[in-house]
Amino acid sequence: MVRGGEGRCDPVRFGRREFLALAGGFASSAALPKLSLAENPPGRPLHGLSAFGDLGYEAGFSHFRYASPDAPKGGTFNFQPSYWFFNQNTQTFNTLNSFVRRGDAPPRMENCFDSLMVTAWDEPDAIYAHLAESVTISADGNRFTFRLRPEARWHDGSPITAADVAFSYRTLKKDGHPQLLLPLRVLEDAVAEDDRTAILIFDGTQSAQAILTIAATYPILSSEWYEPRDFLASTLEPPLASGPYRVGRFSAGSFTEYERVENYWAKDLGTVRGLDHFDTIRIEFYQERQAGFEAFKKGNITWREEFTSKSWVTEYDFPAIAEKKVVKRLFDDEARPSMQAMALNQRRERFRDRRVRDAISRCFDFEWTNRNLFYEAYQKSHSLFSGSPYETAGPPVALERALIERLGAAHELPEGIYDDAYQEAPSDGSGRDRTRRRTAIGLLNAAGWSNDNGTLRNASGDTLDLEILIRSSVFERVYNPWVTTMRSIGINASLRLVDPAQYQARTASFDFDMAGYALNWEATPVNSGLENAFGSGSADVEGSRNWPGTADPLVDAIIHEVGAAANREDHRTAMRVLDRVLRLRRDWIPSWTSANHRVAYWDMFGFKEPKPDYFWPVERLWWVDQEKATTLGKA
């Protein structure tokens, strides 16, 4: 799940291509353990699955604890999304096809589609039958048989069948967005045994955690609707879907509305009851942050998460705040590992030396930036799994050391692996830390770059060029001091501001020197997601999250260990070793992190507290409080 960062530090959009090219890159996936047979017994229909623990909800549960069955329905939720998936873009859109790499789709298209099972947002890795009424696991753990609910319907009233399920998985495996395509490498086939029985057949190399993602989050598509159409096409034709919302009015690049389906077939199921209260969810698109903020101040937008700390401190003093019509509040972030970092593209030869990447990082003065530009709103991030049990510290503990030693028998270990987990030393906060600059110059000299009248050149006479790609002018104030420092030591650094569509196209095709990415990982990260960002097999797959082009057999082996974990302790150990190695590699330069959502909203909503721990889709949880809305003139 891609999230905004300071000024929306954008990423790959949790983004692809050429599935067959991955075959050699994922050989380490062999012989991963299946789902625990004790918790997920084979041979009988199950209402839910869990990787490591008991399910929190019994069969036939009435609703999730975070849902609000008694909340009223109605009204409009007009907001600016703070996270997105696949090829979605929060600043523009030109297609309604969200499940392929091509084009820019509006966020929340996924809410129009049902999946076989759904994730519980208050459990780290439990899923429950939704479109399917049950799932049965074979004795060998490689076949998952889903019995579909007879009442399941498309929005046109026609039944959802097992043929639709088989079509969906086969199509997404062949042509889907890389976030969907890559995990399906372990899927051998999807077949329809009869109209209500669909079987997913795996090759035996699937991990226990990855199967949960595949079963719970994949959209089921209408085979009949897509049969005469090109699945890969960019199109503004709303697809036939089955979820709680359907596409309503829209204007490409301007706004889109999703209409609640009044006769939604699943509205009384425990997996849905008490969710989806708004009649209309409306998203408006602004290429610049300030225009969106002005729309919020006027009340045209009614909910906003603020990603610019300066604005949060200095600009939320408009009349509606003073009149208490708008609430400004912090909400705890989810208990999921988060990553906000800069990727240096190692497909460019000049960035392949770790010392060069380290030197570039040392030119950024976080302490000065945080005090002068961020109003002390952030903490320095040293990990790509910040705020989670997977963020390691100090020297390796016994379990980590044992895993490192075992991996070292077959792989070259990086220098410093047995030392304290790597953390970049803080600056003196002056913005002109001479010690850091001298260190950076020493690293660059050691990597073969010499000063030539103020410009760094290598033995071939090439200059050390570095362009930071951004898609919002908000980043200019943040990164200009970084550029200035780099130029002062001879790096030919610059900023390049491009429009949102071009930014997405260039990052998806790896056409950049350095760019920023922010996302939240799954509460229990799975090997397929990690492979997408760090695995050798995704390094040349356009649209993957592997922006730096990481291709390291040791990293692949550790990701395999994550997938092979039979219990939470083993999983946590492997993740911490991965964190330790990624810090040393410096493919990604971690930037900053925060423990809160900064949210402002017009005081017209009701919601249940506490919020769920692992996911917070406000548009599906909140509702219009009619009395408050009437007071504001927004009823």
Side-chain angles (χ1 to χ4, degrees):
M1 175 179 69
V2 173
R3 286 195 59 189
E6 177 74 14
R8 278 201 172 84
C9 176
D10 244 22
V12 145
R13 180 97 48 288
F14 232 167
R16 25 257 193 25
R17 213 22 155 195
E18 273 317 86
F19 175 74
L20 293 178
L22 301 178
F26 291 114
S28 64
S29 296
L32 296 178
K34 310 301 187 294
L35 284 166
S36 164
L37 297 184
E39 303 296 346
N40 308 280
R44 63 182 179 88
L46 304 172
H47 76 289
L49 301 172
S50 173
F52 299 127
D54 294 328
L55 296 172
Y57 294 89
E58 301 276 344
F61 66 93
S62 64
H63 62 276
F64 289 122
R65 284 180 285 272
Y66 48 78
S68 304
D70 298 327
K73 304 288 187 183
T76 296
F77 187 62
N78 192 334
F79 78 129
Q80 294 183 279
S82 55
Y83 64 87
W84 55 96
F85 300 93
F86 315 126
N87 67 349
Q88 296 167 5
N89 196 322
T90 59
Q91 295 176 284
T92 188
F93 76 96
N94 50 39
T95 180
L96 295 175
N97 187 352
S98 187
F99 305 125
V100 297
R101 185 175 77 84
R102 184 182 306 159
D104 299 88
R108 302 306 181 267
M109 279 299 298
E110 68 277 3
N111 288 347
C112 298
F113 293 83
D114 286 308
S115 53
L116 291 171
M117 305 181 78
V118 296
T119 303
W121 304 333
D122 57 352
E123 297 181 78
D125 53 29
I127 62 175
Y128 294 89
H130 175 65
L131 183 57
E133 64 183 13
S134 67
V135 56
T136 303
I137 309 173
S138 64
D140 64 4
N142 293 333
R143 297 168 66 93
F144 289 72
T145 300
F146 296 89
R147 185 70 172 162
L148 302 189
R149 298 184 189 272
E151 67 270 32
R153 291 290 185 274
W154 297 106
H155 289 158
D156 66 0
S158 59
I160 300 173
T161 69
D164 295 316
V165 175
F167 165 80
S168 301
Y169 279 92
R170 289 173 175 174
T171 300
L172 293 171
K173 174 171 178 170
K174 178 176 180 288
D175 292 323
H177 187 281
Q179 288 176 34
L180 298 164
L181 179 154
L182 295 179
L184 291 181
R185 71 190 185 280
V186 297
L187 184 72
E188 280 192 348
D189 203 1
V191 298
E193 190 172 75
D194 56 45
D195 281 351
R196 287 185 54 204
T197 307
I199 306 173
L200 300 184
I201 304 170
F202 294 88
D203 63 10
T205 68
Q206 70 277 6
S207 72
Q209 307 104 48
I211 191 65
L212 303 182
T213 299
I214 291 170
T217 62
Y218 276 60
I220 301 305
L221 313 171
S222 168
S223 57
E224 184 174 335
W225 191 86
Y226 280 100
E227 193 276 329
R229 295 170 172 85
D230 178 6
F231 176 72
L232 289 170
S234 291
T235 176
L236 290 172
E237 180 183 13
L240 178 63
S242 66
Y245 286 90
R246 60 161 57 97
V247 176
R249 298 189 311 130
F250 66 88
S251 175
S254 178
F255 76 91
T256 186
E257 292 183 347
Y258 299 101
E259 300 172 348
R260 185 169 61 84
V261 178
E262 183 66 32
N263 61 342
Y264 175 41
W265 71 270
K267 63 182 179 180
D268 294 322
L269 290 181
T271 50
V272 171
R273 187 167 173 261
L275 303 175
D276 305 314
H277 308 291
F278 297 108
D279 281 347
T280 303
I281 295 173
R282 180 181 172 98
I283 299 171
E284 299 191 34
F285 296 81
Y286 301 93
Q287 294 205 6
E288 279 297 331
R289 173 213 163 270
Q290 194 62 37
F293 182 52
E294 294 300 322
F296 173 74
K297 289 164 61 176
K298 294 175 184 177
N300 296 332
I301 290 171
T302 52
W303 188 97
R304 174 183 176 84
E305 182 167 4
E306 182 57 66
F307 291 101
T308 304
S309 52
K310 177 179 182 292
S311 298
W312 184 251
V313 174
T314 66
E315 297 183 33
Y316 281 78
D317 57 357
F318 49 92
I321 290 277
E323 296 164 6
K324 300 189 184 305
K325 294 179 179 179
V326 169
V327 177
K328 179 184 176 187
R329 178 175 168 183
L330 298 178
F331 290 86
D332 289 342
D333 205 353
E334 287 68 71
R336 301 170 62 163
S338 65
M339 164 181 160
Q340 179 148 327
M342 302 297 290
L344 276 159
N345 187 357
Q346 293 171 51
R347 299 167 191 86
R348 314 278 207 254
E349 185 175 354
R350 59 189 179 275
F351 303 126
R352 291 177 189 167
D353 192 311
R354 179 205 186 274
R355 294 168 295 190
V356 171
R357 303 193 295 272
D358 199 7
I360 290 168
S361 176
R362 290 171 189 268
C363 291
F364 180 72
D365 191 330
F366 169 78
E367 286 71 25
W368 182 90
T369 303
N370 195 36
R371 186 178 68 250
N372 291 278
L373 302 181
F374 293 165
Y375 294 81
E376 305 285 358
Y378 297 106
Q379 299 82 46
K380 180 73 175 78
S381 178
H382 299 283
S383 170
L384 302 179
F385 309 109
S386 292
S388 76
Y390 311 120
E391 184 175 359
T392 192
V397 297
L399 288 174
E400 290 180 49
R401 179 176 286 271
L403 177 55
I404 291 169
E405 289 174 351
R406 178 157 57 83
L407 292 168
H411 301 278
E412 182 179 353
L413 298 174
E415 182 180 350
I417 189 67
Y418 290 109
D419 299 337
D420 287 351
Y422 179 80
Q423 289 194 178
E424 189 175 283
S427 76
D428 62 12
S430 67
R432 301 179 301 277
D433 189 325
R434 294 183 178 181
T435 300
R436 288 173 68 90
R437 293 191 193 194
R438 282 196 297 270
T439 301
I441 291 169
L443 288 165
L444 291 167
N445 291 162
W449 296 90
S450 302
N451 190 296
D452 178 18
N453 292 321
T455 300
L456 287 172
R457 297 183 185 276
N458 62 13
S460 300
D462 302 320
T463 56
L464 181 50
D465 299 333
L466 172 63
E467 178 183 89
I468 304 177
L469 188 69
I470 58 175
R471 65 186 252 173
S472 171
S473 60
V474 169
F475 285 110
E476 291 176 325
R477 61 187 288 273
V478 176
Y479 293 148
N480 268 326
W482 193 0
V483 168
T484 298
T485 299
M486 285 192 283
R487 294 186 70 86
S488 75
I489 65 171
I491 299 173
N492 184 29
S494 61
L495 284 176
R496 173 63 63 89
L497 174 64
V498 298
D499 65 68
Q502 186 179 355
Y503 183 91
Q504 179 129 311
R506 286 187 59 176
T507 53
S509 61
F510 309 130
D511 181 19
F512 64 92
D513 291 343
M514 184 162 72
Y517 192 103
L519 64 83
N520 275 356
W521 297 96
E522 301 90 345
T524 303
V526 302
N527 59 323
S528 57
L530 297 169
E531 286 166 347
N532 191 315
F534 311 123
S536 300
S538 63
D540 295 322
V541 180
E542 291 191 0
S544 76
R545 292 179 189 164
N546 195 344
W547 284 17
T550 304
D552 182 345
L554 174 61
V555 172
D556 296 337
I558 302 171
I559 293 173
H560 170 79
E561 294 292 333
V562 173
N567 54 61
R568 291 199 189 280
E569 186 174 52
D570 289 348
H571 182 270
R572 183 170 56 248
T573 296
M575 284 294 298
R576 288 177 173 174
V577 171
L578 179 61
D579 182 32
R580 194 172 292 275
V581 170
L582 291 174
R583 292 192 196 196
L584 289 169
R585 282 191 54 85
R586 308 293 276 158
D587 300 326
W588 295 89
I589 300 173
S591 49
W592 50 82
T593 185
S594 173
N596 304 108
H597 295 277
R598 295 185 296 244
V599 172
Y601 56 91
W602 286 76
D603 192 14
M604 55 181 287
F605 301 113
F607 53 88
K608 188 173 186 176
E609 296 192 88
K611 59 185 278 296
D613 287 337
Y614 298 106
F615 192 37
W616 192 45
V618 174
E619 71 280 5
R620 300 196 66 191
L621 291 165
W622 289 23
W623 60 88
V624 171
D625 183 311
Q626 194 65 31
E627 183 177 343
K628 290 182 177 181
T630 299
T631 300
L632 291 179
K634 292 183 175 292

